[in-house]
Amino acid sequence: MPSVSQSSVGASFPPHTHLPDTASDQLRWLDLENDHLRLRILNFGAITARLDLRTDDGWLPMVLGYRDMAAYLGDPFYLGAIVGRVANRIGGARFDLAGRRVALDANEGGNQLHGGAAGLGRVFWDIRQVTDDVVELSYTSADGENGYPGYAEFLLRITVSGTSVSYDMRASVDKTTPINLAQHNYYTLGVTGDIWGHRLRCPAAAYLPLRPDGVPTGAIAPVAGTPFDFTDGQSFAKLDPQRRGTDTHVIFARGADSHRPEVATLTAPNGVAMRVCSDQPGAQIYTATHLNSAVAAQNGQQLAPFAAVCIEPQGFPDAVNQPDFPSVMVHPGRPYHQKLLLDFSTNEADQDD
């Protein structure tokens, strides 16, 4: 059974201001390993701090991570976190529910991002169960936390099996309230430098145009002819020759209630590939445009713009304010459930049309 380890070193930058002075003493992690993968999961933010794949050349990191685990206590970029209650942006940090205006905690200008400054990715979770290949974490969110109505009980089950890792996310509530979780890994697939040579294939025929503040306008537009057309699996460099970066939500080709396992495949120039399977209606694709930190990363990585790509399956952002978007409301007796699976392979052909 994996051990529960404790950090005793200081953070590389100040912890988030809502955390207690004893936060570094509360930080613990769980290590899982099989013949193909090894993971480190923090009790803070349910963060995936390490995700390594065994290759012929040894262990390769699949995600960006800090060298010092205590650095996550002040991380502003949500590296590896489970974000929510509602991932992505809620315009104006408010929405209407049953004729009542609900005011949320704003943490990105006048908007709310990833559930607020003290959202799920920035709180301590409880360890419910630890076995050789399974980690279970839970968190109870109080009524009114970050402005959200109702009590919510979150349960996360992370399982390692062969070359795959799965995230099973559940929530039960006592009042109608929005829930829309996302797993926020920054994927490198073992490449140190940038992701311009990575290729993303994704069956998404449409995307959500954004306002300047990153909130969807409410329109749905075709990806054809845009830098967000990942249907042919071209490299980020070919799709975005001016290298402006991507931070947009794409909509998968089938309906939100369809069971479709594979929604994306990311392939690196080194031949490592990751297949993403999800039951969500779309995903935020983010090429780490604003990532920039001098805090030490693991294994010679750089915390720099375009050093990784996030693929975040989730419900539509700002759905609480967009009546034409699929609802993210969860009701008592009808729990929230999201399934995400990542499957890794090596020696994939590196060809770009």
Side-chain angles (χ1 to χ4, degrees):
M1 179 175 293
S3 61
V4 179
S5 304
Q6 181 172 343
S7 172
S8 60
V9 295
S12 300
F13 39 53
H16 297 296
T17 55
H18 67 274
L19 294 177
D21 293 339
T22 58
S24 61
D25 296 327
Q26 298 178 46
L27 182 62
R28 290 171 172 79
W29 56 83
L30 315 170
D31 289 328
L32 301 178
E33 182 174 334
N34 65 13
D35 292 338
H36 306 283
L37 294 173
R38 62 184 184 188
L39 280 78
R40 172 165 291 178
I41 308 298
L42 304 188
N43 67 335
F44 182 72
I47 287 169
T48 300
R50 298 280 189 274
L51 173 50
D52 301 335
L53 175 69
R54 189 192 296 274
T55 70
D56 292 340
D57 298 321
W59 291 101
L60 281 181
M62 297 293 98
V63 300
L64 284 181
Y66 293 109
R67 182 184 304 168
D68 177 4
M69 296 300 100
Y72 288 96
L73 296 174
D75 167 45
F77 305 112
Y78 301 94
L79 263 68
I82 298 293
V83 295
R85 289 187 189 189
V86 175
N88 219 305
R89 293 170 178 87
I90 294 180
R94 50 80 182 124
F95 63 94
D96 293 332
L97 179 64
R100 180 175 66 91
R101 175 60 54 92
V102 177
L104 303 174
D105 294 344
N107 63 322
E108 189 187 58
N111 303 321
Q112 187 185 83
L113 175 66
H114 294 330
L120 296 180
R122 293 178 173 174
V123 295
F124 285 99
W125 294 54
D126 292 327
I127 299 169
R128 173 158 310 181
Q129 179 181 349
V130 181
T131 66
D132 288 340
D133 56 2
V134 176
V135 173
E136 286 192 354
L137 302 169
S138 63
Y139 177 73
T140 300
S141 180
D143 186 6
E145 188 169 305
N146 298 303
Y148 288 100
Y151 160 103
E153 179 71 32
F154 294 91
L155 177 63
L156 170 65
R157 182 181 178 94
I158 303 173
T159 302
V160 178
S161 178
T163 58
S164 299
V165 55
S166 64
Y167 298 83
D168 187 279
M169 308 173 222
R170 299 174 186 262
S172 57
V173 302
D174 68 342
K175 295 180 183 178
T176 297
T177 192
I179 294 179
N180 182 22
L181 305 183
Q183 208 291 327
H184 209 294
N185 283 336
Y186 284 69
Y187 301 105
T188 66
L189 303 191
V191 173
T192 300
D194 60 55
I195 48 80
W196 292 112
H198 289 54
R199 294 179 288 113
L200 177 62
R201 184 180 298 276
C202 178
Y207 75 102
L208 301 180
L210 303 176
R211 304 181 330 204
D213 61 357
V215 176
T217 64
I220 295 176
V223 299
T226 75
F228 318 128
D229 187 355
F230 304 112
T231 55
D232 292 333
Q234 297 186 67
S235 68
F236 286 103
K238 282 201 171 184
L239 285 172
D240 184 12
Q242 295 181 320
R243 303 197 173 189
R244 294 176 177 174
T246 296
D247 188 9
T248 197
H249 188 92
V250 297
I251 303 168
F252 301 139
R254 287 187 271 175
D257 59 351
S258 297
H259 175 67
R260 65 189 165 280
E262 187 167 340
V263 298
T265 300
L266 182 68
T267 306
N270 61 5
V272 175
M274 179 183 70
R275 186 170 59 99
V276 181
C277 300
S278 172
D279 56 3
Q280 296 299 287
Q284 191 80 8
I285 309 297
Y286 175 51
T287 53
T289 310
H290 303 292
L291 181 66
N292 190 8
S293 176
V295 175
Q298 61 165 322
N299 300 324
Q301 295 176 334
Q302 296 180 356
L303 300 172
F306 315 115
V309 58
C310 302
I311 304 171
E312 310 163 45
Q314 59 189 263
F316 286 22
D318 200 37
V320 292
N321 292 310
Q322 303 289 349
D324 293 333
F325 288 0
S327 175
V328 295
M329 289 296 173
V330 177
H331 307 277
R334 295 163 57 187
Y336 173 90
H337 188 199
Q338 180 190 157
K339 294 182 289 185
L340 170 65
L341 182 138
L342 311 173
D343 185 60
F344 298 91
S345 59
T346 57
N347 300 318
E348 300 293 331
D350 180 29
Q351 298 176 351
D352 200 355
D353 297 333

